[in-house]
Amino acid sequence: MLIDTYGRVATDLRVSLTDRCNLRCTYCMPEEGLQWLAKPDLLTDDEIVRLIDLAVTRLGITEVRFTGGEPLLRPGLVGIVERVAALEPRPQMSLTTNGIGLRRTATALKAAGLDRVNVSLDTLRPDVFKTLTRRDRHKDVIEGLEAARAAGLTPVKVNSVLMPGLNEDEAPDLLAWAVENDYELRFIEQMPLDAQHGWKREGMVTAGDILASLRTRFELTEEGSEERGSAPAERWLVDGGPHRVGVIASVTRPFCSACDRTRLTADGQVRTCLFAQEETDLRAALRSDAPDEEIARIWRLAMWGKKAGAGLDDPSFVQPDRPMSAIGG
């Protein structure tokens, strides 16, 4: 079991498979990209599967989310999914992706055992997409979403970040489109995880702004805390249901007290929180032939020291050195 001093138990493992990405989203990284991790620094497929096996069979993990960077850029992804699906007990598996490669991989991922996907899409307008991502790939994302739905990777969830002056007016249009296409839309407040450290709290589109905008066109009925559980998204029924919309208010309505996540970076570091300043090295233990019992002990100790909250409301908050692309969403 992965328990911390506040009594929270981690059952959800986020695994970053690569720090690389084929988009350059303005809220994540600079246009020229980043200094990518060297291949020897990355965990191998076997190392990733071993750590997930250990987490599932010894540490109580029941859900695994593959992230990046862009996880579809990982050459061995389908094989990793297939091997994790064979574990006993079998964890629930999902993938967070920008959707560009889904058209060609969705069927194979479903056959390998992936349960569902979260796809990032911030706008319905191709020109705005190009401005936000610095790439002209909007059509590829739409086709990737359609392929995921057709393959049965459902519910297909769409993650959207609204940015002032670019797409902040699109919330109602995005929701109408999601309802029409049977996607579950979730808006995410922009978080201080950009490589340029240009985030400013006073300039972001808040959960309150998003809900006010949605209510100009839709009736929203809050689901409540019992339905939410430890999920990061507060959810509302849209016009009485059955469709739902979620808002992840990491900055203005933090949900740290119910957090059930532990994170593994692409180079084998445990992170207790997206905003953590400290990491715990599992790669070194792996490569020094440490037994599973020792690796599990190191992981438990790391999670025991998890802080009460992210501290975004603390004036002394310092943004993590690693951008979101390097630690997974």
Coordinates of all heavy atoms in Angstrom, one line a residue, residues 154-248:
T154 N -13.8 3.8 -24.9 CA -14.8 4.7 -24.3 C -14.9 4.5 -22.8 O -14.5 3.4 -22.2 CB -16.1 4.4 -25.0 OG1 -16.4 3.0 -24.8 CG2 -16.1 4.7 -26.4
P155 N -15.4 5.5 -22.1 CA -15.8 6.8 -22.6 C -14.5 7.6 -23.1 O -13.5 7.7 -22.4 CB -16.4 7.5 -21.5 CG -15.8 6.9 -20.3 CD -15.5 5.5 -20.6
V156 N -14.7 8.2 -24.3 CA -13.6 9.1 -24.8 C -13.8 10.4 -24.1 O -14.8 11.1 -24.3 CB -13.7 9.2 -26.4 CG1 -12.7 10.2 -26.9 CG2 -13.6 7.9 -27.1
K157 N -12.7 10.8 -23.4 CA -12.7 12.1 -22.7 C -11.9 13.1 -23.4 O -10.8 12.8 -23.9 CB -12.2 11.9 -21.3 CG -13.1 11.0 -20.4 CD -12.7 10.9 -19.0 CE -13.6 10.0 -18.2 NZ -13.2 10.0 -16.7
V158 N -12.4 14.3 -23.5 CA -11.7 15.4 -24.2 C -11.3 16.4 -23.1 O -12.1 16.9 -22.4 CB -12.5 16.1 -25.3 CG1 -11.8 17.2 -25.9 CG2 -12.9 15.0 -26.3
N159 N -10.0 16.7 -23.1 CA -9.5 17.7 -22.1 C -9.2 19.0 -22.8 O -8.5 19.0 -23.9 CB -8.1 17.2 -21.5 CG -8.3 16.0 -20.7 OD1 -9.4 15.7 -20.2 ND2 -7.2 15.3 -20.4
S160 N -9.7 20.1 -22.3 CA -9.6 21.4 -22.9 C -9.1 22.4 -21.9 O -9.6 22.5 -20.8 CB -10.9 21.9 -23.5 OG -11.4 21.1 -24.5
V161 N -8.1 23.2 -22.3 CA -7.6 24.3 -21.6 C -7.9 25.6 -22.3 O -7.7 25.7 -23.5 CB -6.0 24.3 -21.4 CG1 -5.5 25.5 -20.7 CG2 -5.6 23.0 -20.7
L162 N -8.6 26.6 -21.6 CA -9.0 27.8 -22.2 C -7.9 28.9 -21.9 O -7.5 29.0 -20.7 CB -10.4 28.2 -21.7 CG -11.5 27.3 -22.0 CD1 -12.8 27.8 -21.5 CD2 -11.6 27.0 -23.5
M163 N -7.6 29.6 -22.9 CA -6.5 30.7 -22.7 C -7.1 32.0 -23.1 O -7.8 32.2 -24.1 CB -5.3 30.4 -23.7 CG -4.7 29.0 -23.4 SD -3.7 28.9 -21.9 CE -2.3 29.9 -22.5
P164 N -6.8 33.0 -22.3 CA -7.3 34.4 -22.5 C -6.9 34.9 -23.9 O -5.7 34.7 -24.3 CB -6.7 35.2 -21.4 CG -6.3 34.3 -20.4 CD -6.0 33.0 -21.1
G165 N -7.8 35.5 -24.6 CA -7.5 36.1 -25.9 C -7.4 35.1 -27.1 O -7.2 35.5 -28.2
L166 N -7.5 33.8 -26.8 CA -7.4 32.8 -27.9 C -8.6 31.9 -28.0 O -9.2 31.9 -29.1 CB -6.2 31.9 -27.6 CG -4.8 32.5 -27.8 CD1 -3.7 31.6 -27.3 CD2 -4.6 32.8 -29.3
N167 N -9.0 31.2 -27.0 CA -10.2 30.3 -27.1 C -11.1 30.4 -25.9 O -11.9 29.5 -25.7 CB -9.7 28.9 -27.2 CG -8.9 28.4 -26.0 OD1 -8.3 29.2 -25.3 ND2 -8.8 27.1 -25.9
E168 N -11.0 31.5 -25.1 CA -11.8 31.6 -23.9 C -13.3 31.7 -24.1 O -14.1 31.4 -23.3 CB -11.3 32.7 -23.0 CG -11.5 34.1 -23.7 CD -11.0 35.2 -22.8 OE1 -11.2 35.2 -21.6 OE2 -10.3 36.1 -23.3
D169 N -13.7 32.0 -25.4 CA -15.1 32.1 -25.7 C -15.7 30.8 -26.2 O -16.9 30.8 -26.6 CB -15.2 33.2 -26.8 CG -14.5 32.8 -28.1 OD1 -13.4 32.2 -28.0 OD2 -14.9 33.2 -29.2
E170 N -14.9 29.7 -26.3 CA -15.3 28.5 -27.0 C -16.0 27.5 -26.1 O -16.4 26.4 -26.5 CB -14.1 27.9 -27.7 CG -13.7 28.5 -29.0 CD -12.9 27.6 -29.8 OE1 -13.4 26.6 -30.4 OE2 -11.7 27.9 -30.0
A171 N -16.1 27.8 -24.8 CA -16.6 26.7 -23.9 C -18.0 26.2 -24.3 O -18.1 25.0 -24.4 CB -16.7 27.3 -22.4
P172 N -19.0 27.0 -24.6 CA -20.3 26.5 -25.0 C -20.2 25.7 -26.3 O -20.9 24.7 -26.5 CB -21.2 27.7 -25.1 CG -20.5 28.8 -24.3 CD -19.0 28.5 -24.4
D173 N -19.4 26.2 -27.3 CA -19.3 25.5 -28.6 C -18.6 24.1 -28.4 O -19.0 23.1 -29.0 CB -18.5 26.3 -29.6 CG -19.2 27.5 -30.0 OD1 -20.5 27.6 -29.9 OD2 -18.6 28.5 -30.5
L174 N -17.6 24.1 -27.5 CA -16.9 22.8 -27.3 C -17.9 21.8 -26.6 O -17.9 20.6 -27.0 CB -15.7 23.0 -26.4 CG -14.4 23.5 -27.1 CD1 -13.5 24.1 -26.0 CD2 -13.8 22.4 -27.9
L175 N -18.7 22.3 -25.7 CA -19.6 21.4 -25.0 C -20.7 20.9 -26.0 O -21.0 19.7 -26.0 CB -20.2 22.0 -23.8 CG -21.2 21.2 -23.0 CD1 -20.6 19.8 -22.6 CD2 -21.7 21.9 -21.8
A176 N -21.2 21.8 -26.8 CA -22.2 21.3 -27.8 C -21.7 20.3 -28.7 O -22.3 19.3 -29.1 CB -22.7 22.5 -28.6
W177 N -20.4 20.5 -29.2 CA -19.8 19.5 -30.1 C -19.5 18.2 -29.3 O -19.7 17.1 -29.9 CB -18.5 20.1 -30.5 CG -17.5 19.2 -31.2 CD1 -17.5 18.7 -32.4 CD2 -16.4 18.5 -30.5 NE1 -16.4 17.8 -32.6 CE2 -15.7 17.7 -31.5 CE3 -15.8 18.6 -29.2 CZ2 -14.6 17.0 -31.2 CZ3 -14.7 17.9 -28.9 CH2 -14.1 17.1 -29.9
A178 N -19.1 18.2 -28.1 CA -18.9 17.0 -27.3 C -20.1 16.2 -27.1 O -20.2 15.0 -27.3 CB -18.2 17.3 -26.0
V179 N -21.2 16.9 -26.8 CA -22.5 16.2 -26.6 C -22.9 15.6 -28.0 O -23.4 14.4 -28.0 CB -23.6 17.2 -26.1 CG1 -25.0 16.6 -26.2 CG2 -23.3 17.6 -24.7
E180 N -22.8 16.3 -29.0 CA -23.2 15.8 -30.4 C -22.4 14.5 -30.7 O -22.9 13.6 -31.4 CB -23.0 16.8 -31.4 CG -23.4 16.4 -32.8 CD -23.1 17.5 -33.9 OE1 -22.8 18.6 -33.5 OE2 -23.2 17.2 -35.1
N181 N -21.1 14.5 -30.3 CA -20.3 13.3 -30.7 C -20.1 12.3 -29.6 O -19.3 11.4 -29.8 CB -18.9 13.9 -31.1 CG -19.0 14.6 -32.5 OD1 -18.9 14.0 -33.5 ND2 -19.0 15.9 -32.4
D182 N -20.8 12.4 -28.5 CA -20.7 11.5 -27.4 C -19.4 11.4 -26.8 O -18.9 10.3 -26.4 CB -21.2 10.1 -27.9 CG -21.7 9.2 -26.7 OD1 -22.1 9.8 -25.7 OD2 -21.6 8.0 -26.8
Y183 N -18.7 12.5 -26.7 CA -17.4 12.6 -25.9 C -17.7 13.3 -24.6 O -18.7 14.1 -24.4 CB -16.4 13.5 -26.6 CG -16.1 13.0 -28.0 CD1 -15.9 14.0 -29.1 CD2 -15.9 11.7 -28.3 CE1 -15.6 13.5 -30.4 CE2 -15.6 11.3 -29.6 CZ -15.4 12.2 -30.6 OH -15.1 11.8 -31.9
E184 N -16.9 12.9 -23.6 CA -17.1 13.6 -22.3 C -16.0 14.7 -22.1 O -14.9 14.4 -22.1 CB -16.9 12.6 -21.1 CG -17.2 13.2 -19.7 CD -17.1 12.2 -18.6 OE1 -17.6 11.0 -18.8 OE2 -16.7 12.5 -17.5
L185 N -16.5 15.9 -22.1 CA -15.6 17.1 -22.1 C -15.2 17.4 -20.7 O -16.1 17.5 -19.7 CB -16.3 18.2 -22.8 CG -15.6 19.6 -22.9 CD1 -14.3 19.4 -23.7 CD2 -16.5 20.6 -23.4
R186 N -14.0 17.8 -20.5 CA -13.5 18.2 -19.2 C -12.6 19.5 -19.4 O -11.6 19.4 -20.2 CB -12.7 17.1 -18.5 CG -13.4 15.8 -18.4 CD -12.8 14.9 -17.4 NE -11.3 14.7 -17.7 CZ -10.5 14.0 -17.0 NH1 -10.9 13.5 -15.8 NH2 -9.2 13.9 -17.3
F187 N -12.9 20.5 -18.8 CA -12.1 21.8 -18.9 C -11.1 21.7 -17.7 O -11.4 21.3 -16.6 CB -13.0 23.0 -18.8 CG -13.8 23.2 -19.9 CD1 -15.2 22.9 -19.9 CD2 -13.4 23.8 -21.1 CE1 -16.0 23.1 -21.0 CE2 -14.2 24.0 -22.2 CZ -15.5 23.6 -22.2
I188 N -9.9 22.1 -18.0 CA -8.8 22.1 -17.0 C -8.2 23.5 -16.9 O -7.8 24.1 -17.9 CB -7.7 21.1 -17.5 CG1 -8.2 19.7 -17.7 CG2 -6.6 21.1 -16.4 CD1 -7.2 18.7 -18.2
E189 N -8.2 24.0 -15.7 CA -7.6 25.3 -15.5 C -6.1 25.2 -15.9 O -5.4 24.2 -15.6 CB -7.7 25.8 -14.0 CG -9.1 26.2 -13.6 CD -9.1 26.7 -12.2 OE1 -8.3 26.3 -11.4 OE2 -10.1 27.4 -11.8
Q190 N -5.6 26.3 -16.5 CA -4.2 26.3 -16.9 C -3.3 26.3 -15.6 O -3.6 27.1 -14.7 CB -3.9 27.6 -17.7 CG -2.4 27.6 -18.2 CD -2.0 29.0 -18.6 OE1 -2.7 29.9 -18.6 NE2 -0.7 29.0 -19.0
M191 N -2.4 25.4 -15.6 CA -1.6 25.2 -14.4 C -0.1 25.7 -14.6 O 0.3 25.8 -15.8 CB -1.5 23.7 -14.0 CG -2.8 23.2 -13.6 SD -2.8 21.4 -13.2 CE -2.7 20.7 -14.8
P192 N 0.6 26.1 -13.6 CA 1.9 26.6 -13.7 C 3.0 25.5 -13.9 O 3.8 25.1 -13.1 CB 2.2 27.3 -12.3 CG 1.3 26.5 -11.4 CD 0.1 26.1 -12.2
L193 N 2.9 24.9 -15.1 CA 3.8 23.8 -15.5 C 4.4 24.1 -16.9 O 4.7 23.1 -17.6 CB 3.0 22.5 -15.5 CG 2.6 22.0 -14.1 CD1 1.6 20.8 -14.2 CD2 3.9 21.5 -13.3
D194 N 4.5 25.3 -17.3 CA 5.1 25.7 -18.6 C 6.6 25.8 -18.5 O 7.1 26.4 -17.5 CB 4.4 26.9 -19.2 CG 4.6 28.1 -18.2 OD1 4.3 28.0 -17.1 OD2 5.1 29.2 -18.7
A195 N 7.3 25.4 -19.5 CA 8.8 25.5 -19.5 C 9.3 26.9 -19.4 O 10.4 27.2 -18.9 CB 9.3 24.8 -20.7
Q196 N 8.5 27.9 -19.9 CA 8.9 29.3 -20.0 C 8.7 30.0 -18.7 O 9.1 31.1 -18.5 CB 8.2 30.0 -21.1 CG 8.2 29.3 -22.4 CD 7.0 28.4 -22.6 OE1 6.8 27.4 -22.0 NE2 6.1 28.8 -23.6
H197 N 7.9 29.3 -17.7 CA 7.6 30.0 -16.4 C 6.8 31.3 -16.7 O 7.1 32.3 -16.0 CB 8.8 30.2 -15.6 CG 9.3 28.9 -15.0 ND1 10.2 28.9 -13.9 CD2 9.2 27.6 -15.4 CE1 10.5 27.6 -13.7 NE2 10.0 26.8 -14.6
G198 N 5.9 31.3 -17.7 CA 5.2 32.5 -18.0 C 3.8 32.5 -17.4 O 3.1 33.5 -17.6
W199 N 3.4 31.5 -16.6 CA 2.1 31.4 -16.1 C 1.8 32.6 -15.1 O 2.7 32.9 -14.3 CB 1.9 30.1 -15.4 CG 0.6 29.9 -14.7 CD1 -0.6 29.4 -15.3 CD2 0.3 30.1 -13.3 NE1 -1.6 29.3 -14.3 CE2 -1.1 29.7 -13.1 CE3 1.0 30.5 -12.2 CZ2 -1.7 29.8 -11.9 CZ3 0.4 30.6 -11.0 CH2 -0.9 30.3 -10.8
K200 N 0.6 33.1 -15.2 CA 0.3 34.2 -14.2 C -1.2 33.9 -13.7 O -2.1 33.8 -14.6 CB 0.3 35.6 -14.8 CG 1.8 36.1 -15.0 CD 1.8 37.5 -15.6 CE 3.2 38.0 -15.7 NZ 4.1 37.2 -16.5
R201 N -1.4 33.7 -12.4 CA -2.7 33.4 -11.9 C -3.7 34.4 -12.3 O -4.9 34.0 -12.7 CB -2.6 33.3 -10.4 CG -3.9 32.8 -9.7 CD -3.8 32.8 -8.2 NE -5.0 32.4 -7.6 CZ -5.2 31.3 -6.9 NH1 -4.2 30.4 -6.8 NH2 -6.4 30.9 -6.4
E202 N -3.4 35.7 -12.3 CA -4.4 36.7 -12.6 C -4.9 36.7 -14.0 O -5.9 37.3 -14.4 CB -3.9 38.1 -12.2 CG -2.6 38.5 -12.9 CD -1.3 38.1 -12.2 OE1 -1.4 37.2 -11.4 OE2 -0.3 38.6 -12.6
G203 N -4.1 36.0 -14.9 CA -4.5 36.0 -16.3 C -5.2 34.8 -16.8 O -5.6 34.7 -17.9
M204 N -5.4 33.8 -15.9 CA -6.0 32.5 -16.4 C -7.5 32.5 -16.4 O -8.1 33.3 -15.7 CB -5.5 31.4 -15.5 CG -6.0 31.4 -14.1 SD -5.4 29.9 -13.2 CE -6.9 29.5 -12.3
V205 N -8.1 31.6 -17.2 CA -9.5 31.4 -17.2 C -9.8 30.5 -16.1 O -9.4 29.3 -16.1 CB -10.0 30.9 -18.6 CG1 -11.5 30.7 -18.6 CG2 -9.5 31.8 -19.7
T206 N -10.7 30.9 -15.1 CA -10.9 30.1 -14.0 C -12.1 29.2 -14.2 O -12.9 29.3 -15.1 CB -11.2 31.0 -12.7 OG1 -12.5 31.6 -13.0 CG2 -10.1 32.0 -12.5
A207 N -12.3 28.2 -13.2 CA -13.5 27.3 -13.3 C -14.7 28.2 -13.2 O -15.7 27.9 -13.9 CB -13.4 26.4 -12.1
G208 N -14.7 29.2 -12.4 CA -15.9 30.1 -12.3 C -16.2 30.7 -13.7 O -17.4 30.8 -14.1
D209 N -15.2 31.2 -14.4 CA -15.4 31.8 -15.7 C -16.0 30.8 -16.6 O -16.9 31.1 -17.4 CB -14.1 32.3 -16.3 CG -13.4 33.4 -15.4 OD1 -14.2 34.1 -14.8 OD2 -12.2 33.4 -15.4
I210 N -15.5 29.5 -16.6 CA -15.9 28.5 -17.5 C -17.4 28.1 -17.3 O -18.2 28.0 -18.2 CB -15.0 27.2 -17.4 CG1 -13.6 27.5 -17.8 CG2 -15.6 26.0 -18.1 CD1 -12.6 26.5 -17.4
L211 N -17.7 27.9 -16.0 CA -19.1 27.6 -15.7 C -20.1 28.7 -16.1 O -21.2 28.4 -16.5 CB -19.2 27.2 -14.2 CG -18.5 25.9 -13.8 CD1 -18.4 25.8 -12.3 CD2 -19.2 24.7 -14.4
A212 N -19.7 29.9 -15.8 CA -20.6 31.0 -16.2 C -20.8 31.1 -17.7 O -21.9 31.3 -18.1 CB -19.9 32.4 -15.7
S213 N -19.8 30.8 -18.4 CA -19.9 30.8 -19.9 C -20.8 29.6 -20.3 O -21.7 29.8 -21.2 CB -18.5 30.6 -20.5 OG -18.6 30.6 -21.9
L214 N -20.6 28.4 -19.8 CA -21.5 27.3 -20.2 C -22.9 27.5 -19.8 O -23.8 27.1 -20.6 CB -21.0 26.0 -19.4 CG -19.6 25.5 -19.8 CD1 -19.2 24.3 -18.9 CD2 -19.6 25.1 -21.3
R215 N -23.2 28.2 -18.7 CA -24.6 28.4 -18.3 C -25.3 29.4 -19.2 O -26.5 29.6 -19.0 CB -24.6 28.8 -16.8 CG -24.3 27.7 -15.9 CD -24.5 28.0 -14.4 NE -24.4 26.9 -13.6 CZ -23.5 26.6 -12.7 NH1 -22.5 27.5 -12.4 NH2 -23.5 25.5 -12.0
T216 N -24.6 30.1 -20.1 CA -25.3 31.0 -21.0 C -26.1 30.2 -22.1 O -27.0 30.7 -22.7 CB -24.4 31.9 -21.7 OG1 -23.5 31.1 -22.5 CG2 -23.6 32.8 -20.8
R217 N -25.8 28.9 -22.2 CA -26.4 28.0 -23.2 C -27.0 26.7 -22.6 O -27.9 26.1 -23.2 CB -25.4 27.7 -24.3 CG -26.1 27.2 -25.6 CD -25.1 26.8 -26.7 NE -24.2 27.8 -27.0 CZ -23.3 27.7 -28.0 NH1 -23.2 26.5 -28.6 NH2 -22.5 28.7 -28.3
F218 N -26.5 26.3 -21.5 CA -26.9 25.0 -21.0 C -27.3 25.1 -19.5 O -26.9 25.9 -18.8 CB -25.7 24.0 -21.0 CG -25.2 23.7 -22.4 CD1 -24.1 24.5 -22.9 CD2 -25.7 22.8 -23.3 CE1 -23.5 24.3 -24.1 CE2 -25.2 22.6 -24.5 CZ -24.1 23.4 -25.0
E219 N -28.2 24.1 -19.1 CA -28.5 24.0 -17.7 C -27.6 22.9 -17.1 O -27.5 21.8 -17.6 CB -30.0 23.5 -17.6 CG -30.4 23.3 -16.1 CD -31.8 22.8 -16.0 OE1 -32.6 22.9 -16.9 OE2 -32.1 22.2 -14.9
L220 N -26.9 23.3 -16.0 CA -25.9 22.4 -15.4 C -26.4 22.0 -14.0 O -26.8 22.9 -13.2 CB -24.6 23.1 -15.3 CG -23.9 23.6 -16.6 CD1 -22.6 24.2 -16.3 CD2 -23.8 22.4 -17.7
T221 N -26.4 20.7 -13.8 CA -26.8 20.2 -12.5 C -25.6 19.4 -11.9 O -25.2 18.4 -12.4 CB -28.0 19.2 -12.6 OG1 -29.1 19.8 -13.3 CG2 -28.5 18.7 -11.2
E222 N -25.1 19.9 -10.7 CA -24.0 19.3 -10.1 C -24.2 17.9 -9.7 O -25.2 17.6 -9.1 CB -23.5 20.2 -8.9 CG -22.1 19.8 -8.4 CD -21.6 20.8 -7.4 OE1 -22.3 21.8 -7.1 OE2 -20.4 20.7 -7.0
E223 N -23.3 17.0 -9.9 CA -23.4 15.6 -9.5 C -23.2 15.4 -8.0 O -23.9 14.6 -7.4 CB -22.3 14.8 -10.3 CG -22.8 14.3 -11.6 CD -21.9 13.1 -12.1 OE1 -20.7 13.1 -11.7 OE2 -22.4 12.3 -12.9
G224 N -22.3 16.1 -7.5 CA -22.1 16.0 -6.0 C -20.8 15.2 -5.7 O -20.3 14.5 -6.5
S225 N -20.4 15.3 -4.4 CA -19.1 14.7 -4.0 C -19.2 13.2 -4.0 O -18.1 12.5 -4.2 CB -18.8 15.2 -2.6 OG -19.8 15.0 -1.7
E226 N -20.3 12.6 -3.7 CA -20.4 11.1 -3.7 C -20.1 10.5 -5.1 O -19.4 9.5 -5.2 CB -21.8 10.7 -3.2 CG -22.0 10.9 -1.7 CD -23.3 10.3 -1.3 OE1 -24.0 9.5 -2.1 OE2 -23.7 10.5 -0.1
E227 N -20.6 11.1 -6.1 CA -20.3 10.7 -7.5 C -18.9 10.9 -7.9 O -18.3 10.1 -8.6 CB -21.3 11.4 -8.5 CG -22.7 10.9 -8.4 CD -22.9 9.5 -9.0 OE1 -22.0 9.1 -9.8 OE2 -23.9 8.9 -8.7
R228 N -18.3 12.0 -7.4 CA -17.0 12.4 -7.8 C -15.9 11.5 -7.2 O -15.0 11.1 -7.8 CB -16.7 13.9 -7.3 CG -15.4 14.4 -7.7 CD -15.1 15.8 -7.2 NE -13.9 16.4 -7.6 CZ -13.4 17.5 -7.2 NH1 -14.1 18.3 -6.3 NH2 -12.2 18.0 -7.6
G229 N -16.1 11.2 -5.9 CA -15.0 10.4 -5.2 C -13.7 11.1 -5.2 O -13.6 12.3 -4.8
S230 N -12.6 10.4 -5.6 CA -11.3 11.0 -5.7 C -11.0 11.6 -7.0 O -9.8 12.0 -7.2 CB -10.2 10.0 -5.2 OG -10.2 8.9 -6.1
A231 N -11.9 11.6 -7.9 CA -11.6 12.1 -9.3 C -11.3 13.6 -9.2 O -11.9 14.3 -8.4 CB -12.8 11.8 -10.2
P232 N -10.4 14.1 -10.1 CA -10.1 15.5 -10.1 C -11.1 16.4 -10.6 O -11.2 17.6 -10.3 CB -8.8 15.5 -10.9 CG -8.9 14.4 -11.8 CD -9.6 13.3 -11.0
A233 N -12.0 15.9 -11.4 CA -13.0 16.7 -12.1 C -14.3 16.8 -11.3 O -14.9 15.8 -10.9 CB -13.3 16.2 -13.5
E234 N -14.8 18.0 -11.0 CA -16.1 18.2 -10.6 C -17.0 18.1 -11.8 O -16.7 18.7 -12.9 CB -16.3 19.6 -10.0 CG -15.5 19.9 -8.8 CD -15.6 21.4 -8.3 OE1 -16.7 21.7 -7.8 OE2 -14.6 22.1 -8.5
R235 N -18.1 17.4 -11.7 CA -18.9 17.1 -12.9 C -20.4 17.6 -12.8 O -20.9 17.6 -11.7 CB -18.9 15.6 -13.2 CG -17.6 15.0 -13.5 CD -17.6 13.7 -14.3 NE -18.5 12.7 -13.5 CZ -18.7 11.5 -14.0 NH1 -18.2 11.1 -15.1 NH2 -19.4 10.7 -13.3
W236 N -20.9 18.0 -13.9 CA -22.3 18.5 -14.0 C -23.0 17.7 -15.1 O -22.5 17.5 -16.2 CB -22.3 20.0 -14.3 CG -22.0 20.9 -13.2 CD1 -22.8 21.5 -12.3 CD2 -20.6 21.2 -12.7 NE1 -22.1 22.3 -11.4 CE2 -20.7 22.1 -11.6 CE3 -19.3 20.8 -13.2 CZ2 -19.6 22.6 -11.0 CZ3 -18.2 21.4 -12.5 CH2 -18.4 22.2 -11.4
L237 N -24.3 17.4 -14.8 CA -25.2 16.9 -15.9 C -25.5 18.0 -16.8 O -25.8 19.2 -16.3 CB -26.4 16.3 -15.3 CG -26.3 15.0 -14.5 CD1 -27.6 14.6 -13.8 CD2 -25.8 13.8 -15.4
V238 N -25.5 17.8 -18.1 CA -25.9 18.8 -19.1 C -27.3 18.7 -19.5 O -27.7 17.6 -20.0 CB -25.0 18.6 -20.3 CG1 -25.3 19.7 -21.3 CG2 -23.5 18.7 -19.9
D239 N -28.1 19.7 -19.2 CA -29.5 19.7 -19.6 C -30.2 18.5 -19.1 O -31.0 17.9 -19.8 CB -29.7 19.9 -21.1 CG -29.3 21.2 -21.6 OD1 -29.3 22.2 -20.8 OD2 -29.0 21.4 -22.8
G240 N -29.9 18.1 -17.8 CA -30.6 16.9 -17.2 C -30.0 15.6 -17.5 O -30.4 14.6 -17.0
G241 N -29.0 15.5 -18.4 CA -28.3 14.3 -18.7 C -28.8 13.6 -20.0 O -29.7 14.2 -20.6
P242 N -28.2 12.5 -20.4 CA -27.1 11.8 -19.7 C -25.7 12.3 -19.8 O -24.8 11.8 -19.2 CB -27.2 10.4 -20.3 CG -27.6 10.7 -21.8 CD -28.5 11.9 -21.7
H243 N -25.5 13.3 -20.7 CA -24.2 13.8 -20.9 C -23.7 14.6 -19.8 O -24.5 15.3 -19.1 CB -24.1 14.6 -22.2 CG -24.4 13.8 -23.4 ND1 -23.4 13.0 -24.0 CD2 -25.5 13.7 -24.2 CE1 -23.9 12.4 -25.1 NE2 -25.1 12.8 -25.2
R244 N -22.4 14.6 -19.5 CA -21.8 15.3 -18.4 C -20.6 16.2 -18.9 O -20.0 15.9 -20.0 CB -21.2 14.3 -17.4 CG -22.2 13.5 -16.7 CD -21.6 12.4 -15.9 NE -22.5 11.7 -15.0 CZ -23.3 10.7 -15.4 NH1 -23.2 10.3 -16.7 NH2 -24.1 10.1 -14.6
V245 N -20.3 17.2 -18.1 CA -19.2 18.0 -18.4 C -18.4 18.2 -17.1 O -19.0 18.2 -16.0 CB -19.5 19.4 -19.0 CG1 -20.4 20.2 -18.0 CG2 -18.3 20.2 -19.4
G246 N -17.1 18.2 -17.1 CA -16.3 18.3 -15.9 C -15.4 19.5 -16.0 O -15.1 20.0 -17.0
V247 N -15.0 19.9 -14.8 CA -14.1 21.0 -14.7 C -13.0 20.6 -13.6 O -13.4 20.2 -12.5 CB -14.8 22.4 -14.2 CG1 -13.7 23.4 -14.0 CG2 -15.8 22.8 -15.2
I248 N -11.8 20.6 -14.0 CA -10.7 20.3 -13.1 C -10.1 21.7 -12.7 O -9.3 22.3 -13.4 CB -9.6 19.4 -13.8 CG1 -10.3 18.1 -14.2 CG2 -8.5 19.2 -12.8 CD1 -9.4 17.2 -14.9

